[in-house]
């Protein structure tokens, strides 16, 4: 780069912007026309955010902000976070890449670890949009912003499991873990005022149609929290499973939208409208609503307690692993032995899985830029048809949405990308020109060069960033 007249400190030689495709539902979003000024994608700190339109007026550029990295493995880093507003969830998006350098580049783009752009040309001092490469896949598709697909970090054992335990059948899932959405029958409270809990980082686990309730859960630093949302009234029940204080639950009824959002962001938020069930409240207090609770909801609580007390009988999908040694007596064994025991724990398979999950990055866009020059492919029309027939047989399947491991380090990654099919694949003629990467000063193809620029964007929900 120095030989090409550029300095390593030139941070704005390439830029990547996430763009939401506009539709009729965004007429009330404040916008401005694109200008030739410096990068306007960074947030300016004002409360009234104005989104810049693309030149053709068909997209809105999302704002970015520099924040500290997430989790123990990345807390020392500075991340560029893309702010995803509420109106963008469920919408399709694409990218705009800018090359402000005086050398031609090609871009390789990864979306949540899946390569979605393989060798997109980016001439010097130019910009281009990058959208789903549909001819490469079995179906046309879009990139859709969707709630994150969260999975549990499953505990594993380093020793063999006994035959008796391994052959025990898993219990039938209770309504809390049936993973079935209810039929709202147009009785749900306004979804714009009371959004689905998944948009606040909660994981949907099941529902009970007869009780008109949905179940969610989330692991916080205070322990596992279960959420029951009675969708016809907006009542919220939170149950905290604290490692030391045990089980504690609280109902909150009559919440306004601001209070609802506050409770979902912080289950311990005070609203002065909470009450406890009969089994949890102190003696002598009478709560009339206790008499109106549905019997099936009470049976759900009983089923949950039975699953919690069942030990090894708990379904694998509901288990959460915590990196701690409950059997260590600090008062008796002291610091020295504690360090020895922790070294043993860190050599275990469970700790390796936990550490690997913490090292990973979630809901991230990675753009790698290579020095490339355009080359015109040789061959006639016959060879091109043969190449097309070969590609038709090797169409790639549409990728699945990447999963987010449900650990503390990934609690802010509440949004993911869904690859949504829109129809069968279409054969589209491509250019004869391909970008050939420069592998180094010797141009030896056996030596694979690294990208000269690399940009990472971590997309996060607006309420998470705030």
């Amino acid at each position: 780069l120095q030989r090409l007249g550029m300095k390593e400190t030139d941070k704005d030689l390439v830029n990547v912007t996430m763009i939401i495709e506009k539709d009729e539902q965004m007429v009330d979003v404040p916008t401005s026309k694109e200008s030739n000024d410096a990068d306007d994608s960074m947030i300016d700190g004002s409360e009234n955010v104005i989104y810049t339109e693309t030149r053709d007026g068909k997209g809105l550029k999302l704002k970015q902000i520099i924040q500290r990295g997430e989790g123990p493995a990345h807390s020392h880093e500075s991340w560029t976070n893309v702010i995803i507003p509420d109106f963008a969830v469920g919408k399709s998006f694409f990218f705009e890449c800018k090359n402000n350098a005086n050398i031609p580049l090609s871009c390789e783009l990864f979306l949540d670890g899946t390569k979605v752009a393989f060798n997109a040309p980016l001439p010097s001092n130019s910009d281009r949009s990058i959208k789903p490469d549909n001819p490469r896949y079995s179906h046309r598709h879009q990139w859709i912003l969707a709630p994150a697909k969260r999975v549990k970090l499953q505990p594993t054992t380093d020793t063999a499991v006994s035959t008796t335990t391994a052959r025990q059948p898993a219990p039938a899932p209770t309504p809390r873990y049936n993973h079935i959405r209810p039929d709202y029958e147009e009785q749900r409270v306004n979804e714009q005022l009371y959004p689905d809990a998944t948009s606040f980082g909660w994981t949907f686990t099941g529902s009970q149609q007869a009780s008109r309730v949905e179940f969610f859960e989330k692991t916080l630093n205070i322990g596992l929290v279960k959420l029951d949302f009675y969708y016809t009234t907006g009542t919220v029940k939170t149950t905290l499973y604290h490692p030391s204080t045990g089980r504690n639950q609280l109902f909150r009824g009559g919440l306004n939208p601001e209070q609802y959002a506050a409770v979902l962001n912080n289950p311990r938020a005070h609203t002065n409208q909470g009450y406890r069930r009969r089994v949890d409240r102190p003696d002598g207090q009478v709560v009339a609503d206790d008499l109106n609770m549905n019997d099936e909801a009470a049976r759900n609580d009983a089923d949950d307690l039975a699953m919690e007390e069942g030990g090894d009988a708990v379904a694998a999908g509901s288990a959460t692993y915590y990196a701690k040694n409950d059997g260590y007596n600090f008062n008796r064994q002291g610091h020295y032995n504690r360090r020895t025991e922790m070294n043993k724990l860190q050599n275990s398979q469970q700790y390796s899985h936990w550490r690997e999950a913490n090292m990973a990055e979630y809901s991230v866009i990675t753009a790698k830029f290579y020095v490339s020059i355009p080359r015109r492919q040789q061959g006639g029309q016959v060879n091109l048809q043969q190449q097309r027939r070969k590609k038709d047989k090797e169409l790639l399947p549409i990728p699945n949405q990447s999963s987010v491991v449900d650990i503390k380090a990934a609690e802010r990654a509440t949004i993911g990308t869904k690859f949504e099919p829109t129809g069968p694949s279409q054969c589209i003629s491509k250019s004869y020109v391909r970008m050939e990467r420069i592998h180094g000063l010797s141009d030896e193809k056996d030596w694979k060069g690294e990208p000269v620029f690399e940009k990472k964007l971590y997309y996060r929900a607006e309420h998470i960033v705030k």
Side-chain angles (χ1 to χ4, degrees), residues 339-442:
R339 180 175 298 179
T340 303
E341 293 299 321
M342 282 300 297
N343 289 336
K344 293 180 181 178
L345 177 63
Q346 292 180 0
N347 290 329
S348 65
Q349 188 177 3
Q350 294 100 318
Y351 180 84
S352 298
H353 290 168
W354 177 83
R355 184 177 183 275
E356 182 180 355
N358 275 269
M359 294 292 292
E361 297 174 330
Y362 303 97
S363 302
V364 58
I365 301 126
T366 305
K368 299 180 179 181
F369 298 89
Y370 299 83
V371 179
S372 305
I373 56 176
R375 294 290 189 189
R376 185 175 180 85
Q377 288 187 331
Q378 301 296 326
Q381 187 69 20
V382 176
N383 291 339
L384 183 60
Q385 291 177 354
Q386 290 177 351
Q387 292 177 5
R388 286 178 180 171
R389 284 196 295 268
K390 182 178 180 181
K391 287 186 176 181
D392 288 340
K393 298 179 182 179
E394 299 176 352
L395 292 177
L396 301 175
I398 296 179
N400 295 320
Q401 181 176 346
S402 298
S403 300
V404 177
V405 179
D406 198 5
I407 56 175
K408 176 69 175 177
E411 65 178 358
R412 290 167 57 91
T414 60
I415 295 180
T417 297
K418 179 182 178 182
F419 296 80
E420 186 173 275
T422 58
S425 178
Q426 290 182 342
C427 184
I428 302 176
S429 59
K430 291 188 176 183
S431 171
Y432 286 100
V433 178
R434 294 291 181 267
M435 299 300 293
E436 181 178 322
R437 294 179 186 174
I438 301 300
H439 296 277
L441 295 178
S442 63

Side-chain angles (χ1 to χ4, degrees), residues 211-268:
S211 304
R212 296 183 176 90
V213 59
E214 291 180 295
F215 303 114
F216 304 85
E217 63 182 40
K218 188 177 185 180
T219 301
L220 304 177
N221 57 351
I222 57 176
L224 175 67
V225 181
K226 292 185 179 181
L227 172 73
D228 298 8
F229 175 60
Y230 294 86
Y231 52 82
T232 60
T233 63
T235 298
V236 173
K237 168 192 167 187
T238 54
T239 305
L240 168 63
Y241 295 81
H242 197 278
S244 58
T245 61
R247 184 173 182 266
N248 187 16
Q249 66 182 17
L250 184 67
F251 278 86
R252 295 179 179 92
L255 299 177
N256 60 37
E258 290 75 17
Q259 293 172 330
Y260 172 80
V263 171
L264 265 64
N265 282 322
N266 178 15
R268 304 181 72 179

Side-chain angles (χ1 to χ4, degrees), residues 1 4 14 99 101 103-110 115 117-124 366-374 435-440 447-454:
L1 294 179
L4 293 171
V14 292
N99 178 12
I103 54 175
L105 303 172
S106 65
C107 179
E108 189 177 56
L109 192 69
F110 296 83
K115 186 187 293 189
F118 291 73
N119 202 28
L122 195 59
S124 59
T366 305
K368 299 180 179 181
F369 298 89
Y370 299 83
V371 179
S372 305
I373 56 176
M435 299 300 293
E436 181 178 322
R437 294 179 186 174
I438 301 300
H439 296 277
W447 187 86
K448 295 183 179 181
E450 296 293 329
V452 290
F453 304 110
E454 183 171 339

Side-chain angles (χ1 to χ4, degrees), residues 159-169:
T159 58
V161 180
S162 65
T163 306
T164 304
T165 303
R167 289 181 180 178
Q168 288 180 351

Side-chain angles (χ1 to χ4, degrees), residues 4 79-80 111 125 162 169 338 421:
L4 293 171
W79 283 6
T80 302
L111 186 52
N125 299 302
S162 65
R338 179 175 177 269

